[in-house]
Amino acid sequence: MATVAKEDTVRRPRVLVLGAGFAGIGAAHELKKSDVEVVLVDKHDFHTFQPLLYQVATGLLEQPAVGHPIRDLLHKQDNIRFHQDRVTGIDLDAREVTFTELEPHGYDYLVLGLGAEVNFFGVEGAKEHAFPLYTLPDAVRLRDHVLTNWEEVDRRPALAEDGAINVVVVGGGPTGVETAGALAELYNGVFKKDYPDIPSGRARIVLVEAGPEIFPMFKENLRGYAVEALTKRGVEVMAGEVVESVASTRVRLKSGAELPAHTLVWGAGLQGNALVQSLNLELERGNRIGVDDELRVPAHPEVYAVGDIAAITDQKTSQVLPQLGSVALQSGEHVGKTIAELVAGKETKPFRYHDKGTMAAIGRGSAVVQMLGGRTMKGKKAAMAWMTVHLALLPTNEDRAKAVVDWVGAGLTHQRSGRISVDPDEGREVVRAEEPTLKGQS
Ligand SMILES: Cc1cc2nc3c(=O)[nH]c(=O)nc-3n(C[C@H](O)[C@H](O)[C@H](O)COP(=O)(O)OP(=O)(O)OC[C@H]3O[C@@H](n4cnc5c(N)ncnc54)[C@H](O)[C@@H]3O)c2cc1C
């Protein structure tokens, strides 16, 4: 009895995990058996699987395949509590985090897994008019915008001449290429049947990349293959072109060219979450937090930065690791294990990244893969590898099953079940106007 009472009064160390992306969830799960109190906070109530956002934006997958309830991922963990709230401030010296509504939280260990956000690099009009693709709301907004534009052109065909169904995608990295490829398949596949009166040649999809080539992170043979695969799908690839300004219906390039397009997808750059600016830390390129080999923040050994928010140097190559799901998951898991080891009085180990290769999908049966040793794959074999790796990254078997059903369905029938737009505000004004009368009557 006495031992139990004594144990009850001893406060367990509190691990505050900010962000429930790959990194935050990875850290939280590794603390499952540790004698700590884990508090996880995210502004969303769902975990976002960013690598497949472009498939939601193009109607291939439905939202639940890419956004999984966070609480569902924590059911088997007794030592954790999740709160949906927005982090508003982090005081590393006072060891306190503030939120929109929650009481301020102190911590013994802090895990920063707040991810990155879009960087428009100050391009005029981009913030107002561009469609980024970093969150689930971004993907839904883009999908609804594209669907709305096609319906408008169906009603007023002359709008096609003004570029209403043209899309400019900025950024020749995986996000831009995957989105451009998927849009082209949507346009050439199901939209041809959905809108038989709109000639398919009316719509342009243009991929603009500032550098001399798309896919700079891949070897030359894969870069060439990607251009070929995109061109075959009808995407116009413009490399060496820089977007100067964006308006709602036009995209102006630095070369002077003007592209008529009512949609510009921004896949050109990221920066660390805006909250990093308030930390009084010297930030690395892209506003990322530099960390030591155990992923600790300098001068604050109880604070760890993981995933996209961190600039993690690969011990093998001395290069900063890219902002990838596998880096986020592995770094988060490592920090979870490290804290568990510290709490148990055990020795900790530095972080070592296990590179599973870099890959991107271009379309059905078309992808590129580059392995650590430099081996490359392209085409159908690479598409299978891409699918396998992305299925493994999905958080639950249920999500994997959903994705497989949608992929197989789309592969066999070209169908896109997610291509409906639902306006959540439809009819709201009517309800609001009626409400007082109803209350008054009761
Ligand atoms: C379109 C796209 C395609 C990609 N494709 C691939 C790919 O094919 N393969 C691959 O490996 N990687 C890919 N990535 C990268 C990969 O998805 C990211 O590296 C990974 O998601 C980063 O995980 P994270 O946990 O660091 O951050 P995130 O997943 O961004 O999680 C951060 C969490 O913090 C929360 N948050 C942010 N600010 C606040 C706040 N103020 N208060 C509370 N909560 C907050 C967010 O809601 C979010 O849940 C892609 C990314 C994008 C955008």
Side-chain angles (χ1 to χ4, degrees):
M1 282 285 282
T3 319
V4 174
K6 192 177 165 212
E7 276 177 4
D8 274 352
T9 58
V10 174
R11 190 180 70 81
R12 291 182 299 169
R14 175 185 285 170
V15 185
L16 183 53
V17 181
L18 305 181
F22 286 114
I25 289 288
H29 278 169
E30 288 298 328
L31 287 161
K32 186 176 171 184
K33 295 196 179 128
S34 181
D35 192 16
V36 293
E37 170 203 0
V38 185
V39 178
L40 173 66
V41 182
D42 198 291
K43 63 184 175 186
H44 296 123
D45 63 356
F46 54 85
H47 163 85
T48 307
F49 191 80
Q50 288 174 352
L52 297 180
L53 283 175
Y54 78 94
Q55 300 201 355
V56 173
T58 54
L60 185 54
L61 289 179
E62 291 174 41
Q63 294 172 46
V66 174
H68 194 101
I70 292 169
R71 291 184 187 278
D72 199 30
L73 301 175
L74 308 174
H75 282 173
K76 293 188 185 134
Q77 189 161 348
D78 295 332
N79 65 354
I80 195 164
R81 288 296 171 268
F82 168 70
H83 302 292
Q84 183 188 0
D85 205 352
R86 182 181 288 270
V87 178
T88 52
I90 303 166
D91 186 335
L92 296 183
D93 294 323
R95 293 195 186 191
E96 192 180 76
V97 176
T98 49
F99 308 92
T100 305
E101 288 187 54
L102 281 169
E103 288 294 310
H105 275 50
Y107 56 82
D108 297 287
Y109 298 97
L110 177 67
V111 181
L112 298 171
L114 293 167
E117 56 191 40
V118 64
N119 187 352
F120 291 118
F121 300 107
V123 169
E124 189 192 322
K127 202 169 163 212
E128 296 78 19
H129 301 294
F131 287 80
L133 199 49
Y134 200 66
T135 64
L136 193 49
D138 287 343
V140 172
R141 209 175 296 125
L142 174 60
R143 182 197 62 194
D144 290 355
H145 178 75
V146 169
L147 290 172
T148 304
N149 286 353
W150 276 79
E151 292 299 343
E152 264 184 30
V153 170
D154 174 62
R155 292 188 295 269
R156 294 161 59 202
L159 277 174
E161 302 306 327
D162 192 53
I165 47 178
N166 292 351
V167 181
V168 173
V169 181
V170 190
T175 300
V177 170
E178 288 182 339
T179 308
L183 277 168
E185 290 193 341
L186 176 68
Y187 275 29
N188 297 326
V190 79
F191 275 6
K192 261 192 185 167
K193 293 187 208 150
D194 281 351
Y195 304 96
D197 297 329
I198 304 176
S200 57
R202 283 273 177 91
R204 288 172 73 189
I205 296 169
V206 185
L207 178 64
V208 177
E209 162 59 37
E213 280 184 276
I214 63 165
F215 270 175
M217 65 291 288
F218 290 107
K219 285 185 159 188
E220 200 182 338
N221 63 328
L222 299 186
R223 295 201 293 268
Y225 169 80
V227 174
E228 234 174 73
L230 287 170
T231 311
K232 211 168 108 191
R233 286 168 172 76
V235 177
E236 299 168 47
V237 179
M238 284 190 177
E241 288 278 9
V242 177
V243 172
E244 187 177 64
S245 65
V246 188
S248 58
T249 58
R250 293 288 178 272
V251 177
R252 183 173 284 281
L253 304 178
K254 279 221 166 93
S255 62
E258 191 178 70
L259 303 171
H262 292 201
T263 311
L264 177 126
V265 182
W266 192 270
L270 296 175
Q271 56 186 337
N273 188 295
L275 280 165
V276 297
Q277 302 287 355
S278 62
L279 296 177
N280 285 329
L281 296 172
E282 228 171 86
L283 299 174
E284 305 280 330
R285 196 164 166 249
N287 283 340
R288 289 153 85 182
I289 303 171
V291 287
D292 67 12
D293 63 0
E294 291 208 21
L295 310 180
R296 291 173 300 202
V297 172
H300 296 279
E302 72 288 355
V303 182
Y304 297 83
V306 286
D308 278 6
I309 203 171
I312 304 170
T313 303
D314 187 352
Q315 300 304 311
K316 276 185 228 142
T317 62
S318 301
Q319 303 283 315
V320 172
L321 288 167
Q323 285 160 301
L324 286 177
S326 46
V327 176
L329 186 63
Q330 287 182 37
S331 60
E333 287 178 346
H334 182 83
V335 161
K337 273 185 213 143
T338 300
I339 295 172
E341 279 156 0
L342 284 171
V343 170
K346 293 185 187 159
E347 217 177 295
T348 59
K349 293 186 197 83
F351 175 61
R352 294 272 178 274
Y353 176 58
H354 301 288
D355 191 344
K356 296 196 174 134
T358 311
M359 53 190 69
I362 300 161
R364 269 163 29 110
S366 177
V368 292
V369 176
Q370 189 167 301
M371 310 301 281
L372 180 60
R375 205 161 68 87
T376 60
M377 271 192 269
K378 53 187 198 274
K380 286 205 174 85
K381 222 163 127 192
M384 287 305 291
W386 180 94
M387 253 194 258
T388 312
V389 167
H390 283 79
L391 282 177
L393 272 173
L394 278 163
T396 65
N397 283 335
E398 191 194 340
D399 294 317
R400 288 178 199 115
K402 267 188 236 153
V404 168
V405 168
D406 285 343
W407 287 343
V408 172
L412 294 176
T413 64
H414 290 253
Q415 269 308 324
R416 305 267 172 156
S417 53
R419 64 183 199 294
I420 56 165
S421 57
V422 179
D423 178 0
D425 289 328
E426 188 179 291
R428 273 172 70 104
E429 299 84 344
V430 177
V431 172
R432 279 214 195 102
E434 282 174 355
E435 247 172 15
T437 325
L438 288 173
K439 275 184 191 153
Q441 282 171 353
S442 67

